[in-house]
Amino acid sequence: MRDETGSSGVALIVGASGGIGRAVVEQYLGSTQCAQVIAVSRSPQPEELDCHGARLRWLVCDSSQAEIERALRSVGDVHRQLSRIVICTGILHSETVAPEKSLLKLDEAAMQEVLHANTVVPALWVAALSRVLRGGADCVIAVLSARVGSISDNRLGGWYSYRASKAALNMVLKSAAIEYARRLPQVKLVAFHPGTTDTGLSKPFQRGVAPGKLFTPAFVAGKLAALLDQLTPDAQLSYLAWDGSSIEW
C-alpha cells in the first residue's frame, strides 16, 4: 500500500479508544509517515474519524488470545508493511480496582485483573505479532510500561498490583527481545513510560503532580512518534521515558 505522498509504512495501534491510544492514532493520521493506520479497540470506530476513509482501518477486538490472532489474520498481507506498532492497553483502577497503599489492601481478584490487563494482554499481542512480522519491513514496537515498574526506582512502595504488573511486563518484553533478536532482527522493542498523562487512568491521582508534568495525550503521542523515529533495530529492549531518557530496570 502506498498513498499519494509516497508513504508505504503502516502503523498498528492497539488500545485505540483509550486516551493515549486515540492520540497516537490521530498522530499518525496527521503525519505523512504512514500510508495507513490500523486501530484495534474493544469499541467501534468513533464517527468523527470516518473522514479518514480507507486510510484508517478500525478492528474491534476483545483482547482474548483467539481474537488477537483473528485480528492479525484479518490484516492480511499488510502486515509486511508494519513499521510502527504501539500497544496501549492497561489499567490502573476501575470500579473494582484501586492502587493499594499497603499490603493489607491486597485482593486476589483485583491483582489478577490488573496483571491480566497490564501484563498478559500485551504479552499475547507481542507473541502473536512474532508470527506475522517475519519477512516484513523494519519495525519498532512500543508497549506502554511505566516508571513505577522499575524495581530499582521504587522508593515509595505501595501500588503493589500496578508496580508488579509493569515490572512483569518489562520482563516479558526482555525475554521477547532476546527471541525476536534471533527470529526477527528487523524489529525493535521499547518499554515506554509516557509520564503522567491527563486521561481517565490518571484522573484520581493528578492532585500531587508537579506543575508542567501533567501531559496531554497529544503531547505524549508526539513525543512517542518522534522517539520511535530515532530508533533502529539493535536486538535490544529499551526502557525509555517520554523525553527519551533511559530508565533503570
Side-chain angles (χ1 to χ4, degrees):
M1 170 178 291
R2 188 175 295 272
D3 67 8
E4 63 276 7
T5 68
S7 299
S8 60
V10 175
L12 172 66
I13 315 302
V14 179
S17 60
I20 293 178
R22 171 69 178 269
V24 175
V25 168
E26 294 179 349
Q27 170 72 30
Y28 282 116
L29 286 173
S31 166
T32 59
Q33 180 179 4
C34 293
Q36 186 180 45
V37 176
I38 300 173
V40 182
S41 172
R42 290 176 177 269
S43 56
Q45 177 176 322
E47 291 183 3
E48 58 269 26
L49 295 181
D50 290 347
C51 60
H52 295 284
R55 188 155 181 262
L56 173 62
R57 183 176 179 186
W58 196 282
L59 305 177
V60 176
C61 175
D62 67 6
S63 295
S64 66
Q65 187 167 13
E67 281 292 290
I68 289 170
E69 293 173 354
R70 179 199 60 78
L72 287 177
R73 285 196 302 270
S74 74
V75 170
D77 288 342
V78 173
H79 72 264
R80 296 185 184 278
Q81 296 169 279
L82 288 170
S83 59
R84 296 289 183 270
I85 298 173
V86 184
I87 300 173
C88 302
T89 60
I91 63 170
L92 173 57
H93 62 92
S94 69
E95 293 182 357
T96 57
V97 170
E100 312 94 342
K101 294 183 179 180
S102 76
L103 283 168
L104 298 180
K105 295 294 185 180
L106 290 181
D107 175 82
E108 180 182 2
M111 289 191 77
Q112 289 177 342
E113 183 177 346
V114 174
L115 286 164
H116 184 266
N118 294 347
T119 308
V120 176
V121 171
L124 292 175
W125 273 102
V126 172
L129 285 165
S130 71
R131 300 187 183 99
V132 304
L133 292 175
R134 296 175 187 173
D138 285 357
C139 180
V140 182
I141 302 176
V143 184
L144 257 61
S145 183
R147 188 181 296 275
V148 296
S150 167
I151 294 175
S152 58
D153 190 63
N154 183 0
R155 297 175 178 83
L156 298 176
W159 288 35
Y160 286 89
S161 298
Y162 191 70
R163 286 184 185 275
S165 68
K166 293 299 186 178
L169 172 63
N170 290 346
M171 183 58 80
V172 167
L173 294 177
K174 176 61 178 179
S175 291
I178 294 171
E179 187 169 344
Y180 266 54
R182 295 194 298 264
R183 301 170 54 200
L184 298 161
Q186 85 282 12
V187 179
K188 167 74 175 177
L189 282 166
V190 181
F192 178 71
H193 167 61
T196 304
T197 310
D198 190 10
T199 65
L201 183 144
S202 69
K203 192 68 71 177
F205 314 101
Q206 294 178 2
R207 181 178 301 176
V209 179
K213 292 298 184 181
L214 179 62
F215 305 136
T216 67
F219 174 85
V220 172
K223 288 291 187 179
L224 173 60
L227 177 62
L228 299 190
D229 286 346
Q230 299 171 15
L231 302 175
T232 56
D234 60 3
Q236 299 292 324
L237 168 67
S238 296
Y239 187 13
L240 302 175
W242 60 272
D243 60 359
S245 61
S246 294
I247 301 174
E248 297 179 359
W249 297 104

